[in-house]
Amino acid sequence: MRRYAEYPELNGSIGKVIHVQRDANIFEFQCTGGKSRITILAPRIIRVQATQDDEYRRYESFATVGYSEPVPVEEEDHEDRKVISGEHFRLEVMLNQFVLRLLDSSRSVIQEDLPSGGVVWSGNGFECRKRMLGNEHFYGTGEKAHGLDKRGLHYEMWNTDNGDHDSKTDPLYQSIPFFIVFREGVAHGIFLDNTYRTELDFGLRNPSYYSFSAPNGPLDYYLFLGPRISDVVEEYTSLTGKPCFVPRWALGHQQSRFMEYRNEEDVLSVARNLRNHRIPCDTMVLDIGYMNECRVFTWDQKVFSDPKAFTSSLARMGFKVMTIIDPGVKLEDGYFMYDEGVRAGYFLAKENGSLYVGLVWAGETVFPDFSRSEVRAWFGSKYKMLADSGTSNSSWIDMNEPSNCIYDKLKDEYSMVDVVDCQGNPWEARLRNVYALGMAQAVFGGLKDAFPGKRPFILTRSGFAGYQRYAAMWTGDNHSTWDMLWLSIPMLLNLGLSGVPFCGADIGGFGGDTTPELLARWYQLGAFYPFSRNHSDIRSIRQEPWLFGEEAESVARDSVSFRYLLMRYFYSLAKTASTSGIPIMRPLVLEFQDDPATYTLDTQFMIGPFLMVAPVLEEGANSREVYFPRGRWYDLWTDTSIEGPQSLRVDAPFDRIPVYLRAGSIIPTGRIVQNTDEDQGDLVLWVYPGGTSTTAVFEDDGVSDNEQSCETTFAQDSTDDRVVVTIDKRKGRWKPAERSLVLEVKGLTRPKSVEADGKRVLQEKTVAGLEKRSPSSFYDLAHKTLHMKLKDDGNSHKISLVL
Ligand code: MIG
C-alpha cells in the first residue's frame, strides 16, 4: 500500500461554471478550468464526464454495453446552483465552484464533492474527491483483498499476477473500478470507466473524503441510485452487461491439479476414484501439462495420443473435460499459431516495430492483441480444434493479466513498457487492464461458433469491469492457510456485488500443503462457492479428499453431495443472476440492509435469499459465533428454530458446517446425483414456515441457448395457525421429465388438516403410503416434517395446512 507522501501533487481544479447548455438529457458545463458533461442515462443512472481539453473520451468504452432508458428530467436555475432532477434523484451543481451534490428521492444528501472542488487535475490525470458524510461503508471494488468493508483502505487497479498474495496484498489479478457507498441504510454506486492505473481511496489518505483518480484517460464516471444495494448492482450490470448464464454442469464440482501428466491414467484414475468414493463431480480439468510443451491449441501426443478417445472414456464415466488456455503463443517458426499470427500481424509489437517477446511457460512467447476484433476472431476460431477432441464447451483462461515474467529475475528484460498498440501508441498504460477482457470476448465468440446454440463456460483469472458478460472467475493462487480460507468470503462477496456472480476460490488452497482439517473445512465452505473446484499447485501435496483419511473424505463427500442436492436452487439463482446481476453468494447486508450488525459481517453469508452459511474458519474450533438477523431461523441439521436478532455460539464439530434457513424459505432440491446430467427425480421443495415469500424454479436442458425453458413459481403465505403454499401454472416451453412434486414442510407439529386444491388429503401412516395415491401426505413425527406429494402436472395448485 502506498504512503500519503507518494501521492502526486494536484495542479488546478475545474474551477467555476461560466456557461450551461442543455440538449435533451445532456447538460454541458463550461468551466474556467475545463468542462463537464452530465448525462441522465436512465432513471437511476447519471453519467459525469469532464475534461481539460476538447474531447471527453478518445476511445470507446470496453466496459459498457450502450444501455440507456428514457427518463423525464426537470431543471431549475438558482442563483448559486443548477438543479437537475428525476424521480430517484436531485443533482445540484454549484456554480461558483463546480461541485456536485447528489440527493436521493427522500431529499437527503447522499454524495457531495469536496467544497474546494470535485474535480482536480494532475498532469494528464485527475482526481475526484467526495466528502465523507460519516458512517460510510464501501463495498464492491471487484477482486480485492481485505474484508468486506473497504472503509479506510486504498486500492490500485493494475492487473497483476501476484501468486504470493495474502489477505492484504494489492493490486491483484483484476480491475473493476466500481464501488458501492452505503450510509445509514442507503446505497448508491460509482463506476469510473477508465482503464488506466486508476486508484480508489476510501479515506486512508484523509479520513474526511474518499476519492477516485487516474493518471491518464477519460474522467468518465457513472452514479447509480439505490436505495437498495441490489438496485445499485442491477443498475451497474445494466450498464456493463448482465452476467452470462453458465451451463448447469459448470455449477457442478470440478477436480483440478497443476501437474505433469505421465499418462492418461493420471487423470482417469482420479476420475474413477471420485466415482468410487461417491464424491459428485462434473468436470475433470486439465492444466497446462496437457499441451505439447505449452503450445496453445495442441495436445501432448506422447501422453494423449488420441484425445478424442481419452475424453470419451471420461464422458462414459459422466465427466466433462475442461482445458486451460494461456494467451501467450510460443515463439517458434513452424508452429501454426505463431506463423499465422506473424503473417497477419496479430501480435503485440514494440515501438521499433519488432515483435514484443515475453517469457511464459512455453519459453519465449508472443501475445495476440485482443483489442482488435480480427485478432479475437482468429484466436477464437482455434477452439474448433479443442471441440473436435471432445473437450466441453468451455475454457479456463489463465496468465491473461498478461503475466509474462514468471521468473522474477527476468522481469525487467521482458517488461512491457515499450509495447505499442496498432496505432503506435503506448499499449500498457491504457490496454493492460483490458487484455483479459478482450481475451474472454475472443474465447466466448470462438466457443459460440464451435458449439452452436450452446452456452459457453469460461473461467478467467484476470479481467476488467464488464467481463461478467463472458466469463466466471476464480481468485488465482491462494494458499492452503486459514487466513485465505476466510479471505475467500469477503473477496467473493465483493465480486458478487461488482457484477461477477460466478466466482470461486481454489478449494483446499492452491499453494502450500493443506491438512485434513483445513481441507475438510474448505470443502464445507467451498461447496457453497458459486464456482466450486478443488485445485492445487504442482509444488504442493496432492489434494484429492481420499488422501486425507476417512473423516476428511466423508466431510468432502457430504459437502459436495449437499451442493448437488441443492443444485436446482443454485441453478435457479444462476439464472436470476444472469438477468438481474444479483449475486448467488450474498453478504448479509444485501438481504438485511436495515441491520447495522450486518454491515461489516464477512465470516458468514447467504446463498440466495434463504440459506445462511456460517463456516468454521479457525483451526481446531468446534463451535463458532453466528449472527442471526431479525426473524426466525431453522437449523439445517436439527430443524430447531432460533429467533433473531441475536448472536449465538453454536456447535460445529468437524463434520458439521452451521447452515440456517430463514423462515419463509422455499428451497427446490432433488436427489443427489454424481453429475448434473443425471436426472434428479422428484422436485422436492423444502418449506420452512413463516411469513410470505416466493421462489421461482428455472429449468431447461442445462446447456442450450434458446427459449426452451420453463419456470415454476412457488409462494408461501403462512401465519401461526396455517401454512399455505401456492404453485403457479408452469410457464415456458420446456417440459421436465415425469415426476412428482414433494413439499417437505419443516419444523411443524402434526397439522390438524391438510388440503390440496380445497380437498382434504388423508395423512398416511407410513412414508411408503405416499406412493399409494396422489395427492398424499405423511407426517414424520421424529423430524417434525409434513410430506405432501402430488403429481407435477404443470398446473396451478394450492396446498393448505391447518396447524
Ligand atoms: O504461473 O497453469 O493461477 O491455477 O495451475 C502458474 C498453471 C500458471 C497459474 C494459475 C494456476 C495454474 C497455473 N498457472
Side-chain angles (χ1 to χ4, degrees):
M1 194 156 290
R2 287 164 67 177
R3 295 282 110 123
Y4 181 28
E6 287 173 52
Y7 284 88
E9 275 301 300
L10 301 172
N11 56 4
S13 101
I14 188 166
K16 171 190 184 106
V17 179
I18 43 188
H19 182 245
V20 189
Q21 197 183 314
R22 175 179 185 177
D23 176 10
N25 281 355
I26 303 176
F27 297 81
E28 294 277 354
F29 296 84
Q30 188 60 54
C31 304
T32 48
K35 61 177 184 173
S36 174
R37 171 186 289 171
I38 293 177
T39 310
I40 312 305
L41 207 64
R44 285 192 159 90
I45 308 180
I46 302 169
R47 181 181 189 179
V48 181
Q49 292 168 279
T51 177
Q52 298 187 72
D53 45 51
D54 290 341
E55 269 176 305
Y56 285 111
R57 275 198 88 98
R58 293 214 170 83
Y59 304 93
E60 298 255 309
S61 167
F62 289 94
T64 62
V65 294
Y67 175 80
S68 72
E69 254 185 60
V71 31
V73 173
E74 309 277 315
E75 60 179 316
E76 284 165 45
D77 286 300
H78 299 263
E79 203 172 313
D80 63 338
R81 69 194 70 184
K82 170 115 195 151
V83 179
I84 306 168
S85 51
E87 189 192 339
H88 298 289
F89 68 90
R90 175 182 166 95
L91 184 66
E92 304 185 347
V93 185
M94 305 301 157
L95 303 175
N96 200 21
Q97 168 67 42
F98 183 83
V99 161
L100 303 179
R101 284 179 92 212
L102 180 64
L103 294 83
D104 65 7
S105 49
S106 68
R107 294 280 167 111
S108 322
V109 178
I110 56 170
Q111 187 193 100
E112 192 172 25
D113 288 346
L114 281 193
S116 54
V119 175
V120 191
W121 307 117
S122 112
N124 292 325
F126 62 85
E127 183 173 78
C128 299
R129 300 160 161 195
K130 310 276 179 187
R131 205 153 75 84
M132 220 51 107
L133 300 169
N135 306 323
E136 279 92 349
H137 301 273
F138 297 94
Y139 309 123
T141 73
E143 176 192 42
K144 289 295 181 190
H146 303 97
L148 176 66
D149 182 2
K150 303 307 187 188
R151 174 112 193 194
L153 298 170
H154 177 100
Y155 288 113
E156 278 181 43
M157 298 295 167
W158 193 243
N159 293 358
T160 304
D161 173 6
N162 193 335
D164 288 324
H165 69 269
D166 61 23
S167 59
K168 296 189 171 60
T169 307
D170 190 67
L172 291 177
Y173 306 94
Q174 335 200 323
S175 297
I176 305 184
F178 162 73
F179 59 96
I180 297 169
V181 185
F182 181 65
R183 184 175 165 264
E184 321 242 292
V186 175
H188 74 275
I190 298 181
F191 169 52
L192 174 59
D193 191 7
N194 178 310
T195 61
Y196 286 76
R197 190 170 186 143
T198 60
E199 298 187 32
L200 308 178
D201 189 286
F202 301 109
L204 175 75
R205 188 169 164 189
N206 184 328
S208 65
Y209 64 88
Y210 59 96
S211 66
F212 46 93
S213 58
N216 207 326
L219 192 171
D220 186 0
Y221 70 91
Y222 296 83
L223 301 171
F224 308 96
L225 278 300
R228 311 288 312 162
I229 292 174
S230 55
D231 297 331
V232 177
V233 178
E234 286 204 39
E235 297 300 323
Y236 169 72
T237 52
S238 290
L239 183 79
T240 58
K242 294 298 170 186
C244 52
F245 181 31
V246 298
R248 186 175 54 215
W249 63 262
L251 293 168
H253 174 222
Q254 307 203 0
Q255 174 61 40
S256 183
R257 164 101 183 152
F258 180 16
M259 64 186 285
E260 270 171 35
Y261 307 105
R262 289 157 309 170
N263 48 49
E264 294 183 352
E265 231 356 74
D266 277 345
V267 182
L268 295 172
S269 62
V270 177
R272 269 197 302 272
N273 266 315
L274 283 158
R275 293 295 179 247
N276 292 340
H277 292 274
R278 307 291 293 167
I279 299 174
C281 187
D282 269 72
T283 301
M284 292 301 297
V285 179
L286 299 182
D287 206 324
I288 48 175
Y290 81 93
M291 291 182 262
N292 176 11
E293 290 168 356
C294 297
R295 293 174 186 85
V296 289
F297 304 109
T298 68
W299 286 83
D300 181 352
Q301 296 283 338
K302 290 198 292 300
V303 178
F304 304 97
S305 56
D306 184 351
K308 181 93 215 207
F310 168 69
T311 55
S312 305
S313 21
L314 283 163
R316 279 193 297 276
M317 286 189 265
F319 287 96
K320 308 246 178 326
V321 178
M322 178 159 179
T323 55
I324 197 169
I325 287 286
D326 288 352
V329 168
K330 185 175 176 62
L331 186 160
E332 180 186 54
D333 287 322
Y335 166 38
F336 69 99
M337 287 298 289
Y338 178 75
D339 290 348
E340 288 176 23
V342 166
R343 216 173 306 129
Y346 286 165
F347 298 124
L348 294 179
K350 303 231 248 183
E351 256 164 39
N352 64 12
S354 65
L355 277 184
Y356 163 72
V357 180
L359 192 66
V360 200
W361 297 104
E364 289 202 313
T365 303
V366 293
F367 293 83
D369 179 357
F370 290 113
S371 66
R372 293 160 56 193
S373 63
E374 65 276 24
V375 180
R376 291 197 295 270
W378 167 71
F379 196 86
S381 72
K382 303 303 174 200
Y383 277 86
K384 294 217 172 62
M385 168 258 158
L386 280 171
D388 288 342
S389 49
T391 59
S392 63
N393 180 8
S394 66
S395 187
W396 171 20
I397 55 177
D398 185 24
M399 305 296 278
N400 49 358
E401 294 70 26
S403 178
N404 53 59
C405 311
I406 54 176
Y407 312 114
D408 271 347
K409 275 175 271 154
L410 295 172
K411 274 214 159 107
D412 289 340
E413 197 177 333
Y414 291 97
S415 140
M416 301 187 94
V417 286
D418 57 352
V419 171
V420 292
D421 68 12
C422 53
Q423 278 124 35
N425 296 315
W427 171 86
E428 186 166 45
R430 182 172 78 90
L431 293 171
R432 177 183 185 83
N433 281 344
V434 286
Y435 191 74
L437 175 63
M439 182 182 186
Q441 189 183 356
V443 174
F444 192 83
L447 288 171
K448 280 288 217 183
D449 290 344
F451 297 84
K454 302 264 155 62
R455 309 195 304 263
F457 177 58
I458 299 171
L459 182 71
T460 186
R461 189 170 72 177
S462 184
F464 187 76
Y467 79 84
Q468 74 271 8
R469 303 193 294 266
Y470 313 113
M473 73 79 72
W474 96 107
T475 58
D477 297 347
N478 61 358
H479 299 273
S480 302
T481 63
W482 291 88
D483 189 40
M484 284 261 170
L485 175 72
W486 160 74
L487 179 65
S488 71
I489 301 176
M491 258 186 165
L492 299 177
L493 293 178
N494 277 318
L495 273 154
L497 294 178
S498 308
V500 185
F502 305 113
C503 51
D506 288 343
I507 294 175
F510 177 76
D513 294 343
T514 195
T515 62
E517 187 189 2
L518 181 58
L519 185 71
R521 291 305 193 189
W522 214 314
Y523 260 105
Q524 289 176 339
L525 164 55
F528 291 100
Y529 291 158
F531 171 69
S532 190
R533 180 183 75 165
N534 178 335
H535 181 54
S536 56
D537 190 8
I538 194 165
R539 291 164 299 181
S540 61
I541 55 168
R542 293 197 64 115
Q543 220 162 255
E544 293 89 301
W546 49 87
L547 304 173
F548 294 81
E550 250 168 61
E551 262 191 308
E553 181 196 324
S554 92
V555 168
R557 178 171 37 253
D558 290 350
S559 306
V560 176
S561 299
F562 187 60
R563 178 188 183 85
Y564 278 67
L565 183 140
L566 291 177
M567 192 52 73
R568 286 167 164 155
Y569 184 51
F570 272 100
Y571 194 52
S572 298
L573 290 169
K575 175 64 185 179
T576 306
S578 72
T579 54
S580 66
I582 306 299
I584 300 169
M585 180 173 170
R586 310 175 180 175
L588 267 71
V589 64
L590 187 88
E591 292 290 330
F592 304 95
Q593 200 169 306
D594 301 325
D595 180 352
T598 66
Y599 294 175
T600 60
L601 197 57
D602 55 17
T603 53
Q604 55 190 84
F605 58 89
M606 304 291 296
I607 293 294
F610 298 135
L611 199 116
M612 180 165 77
V613 182
V616 172
L617 304 167
E618 260 173 66
E619 186 167 14
N622 47 32
S623 67
R624 64 156 283 172
E625 199 80 1
V626 177
Y627 178 68
F628 297 88
R630 197 182 50 223
R632 194 184 324 140
W633 296 85
Y634 292 88
D635 182 319
L636 168 74
W637 303 97
T638 61
D639 288 334
T640 51
S641 61
I642 297 152
E643 289 297 327
Q646 65 166 312
S647 281
L648 260 189
R649 181 154 282 277
V650 302
D651 283 342
F654 188 74
D655 60 351
R656 287 229 171 151
I657 174 172
V659 173
Y660 302 90
L661 298 116
R662 204 168 165 179
S665 293
I666 308 175
I667 300 201
T669 71
R671 193 160 61 85
I672 294 168
V673 288
Q674 296 302 300
N675 74 72
T676 58
D677 283 341
E678 283 179 50
D679 181 18
Q680 291 206 269
D682 290 348
L683 176 53
V684 180
L685 295 132
W686 291 353
V687 178
Y688 289 86
T692 57
S693 67
T694 59
T695 195
V697 179
F698 177 87
E699 293 171 285
D700 65 357
D701 68 356
V703 293
S704 294
D705 202 357
N706 60 21
E707 302 298 306
Q708 301 290 327
S709 62
C710 69
E711 204 171 68
T712 318
T713 303
F714 298 83
Q716 173 173 189
D717 189 0
S718 302
T719 56
D720 283 347
D721 52 13
R722 115 185 359 254
V723 175
V724 178
V725 176
T726 51
I727 303 161
D728 281 357
K729 191 172 160 54
R730 186 153 51 229
K731 286 195 280 270
R733 274 184 253 157
W734 176 256
K735 208 170 168 308
E738 199 158 311
R739 65 183 180 194
S740 293
L741 290 178
V742 179
L743 302 186
E744 292 183 3
V745 189
K746 317 246 185 188
L748 287 184
T749 51
R750 183 188 295 279
K752 294 200 187 95
S753 77
V754 179
E755 275 182 15
D757 301 322
K759 289 196 208 86
R760 201 159 177 144
V761 177
L762 286 185
Q763 296 190 32
E764 305 290 341
K765 296 215 166 51
T766 63
V767 73
L770 287 172
E771 304 307 323
K772 280 194 237 150
R773 62 192 125 240
S774 172
S776 57
S777 75
F778 164 69
Y779 179 72
D780 177 352
L781 181 69
H783 297 99
K784 300 180 80 184
T785 297
L786 187 278
H787 297 248
M788 161 91 211
K789 184 162 179 163
L790 67 161
K791 224 174 116 39
D792 182 15
D793 57 8
N795 290 326
S796 63
H797 295 285
K798 181 171 177 182
I799 315 295
S800 331
L801 315 182
V802 177
L803 306 179

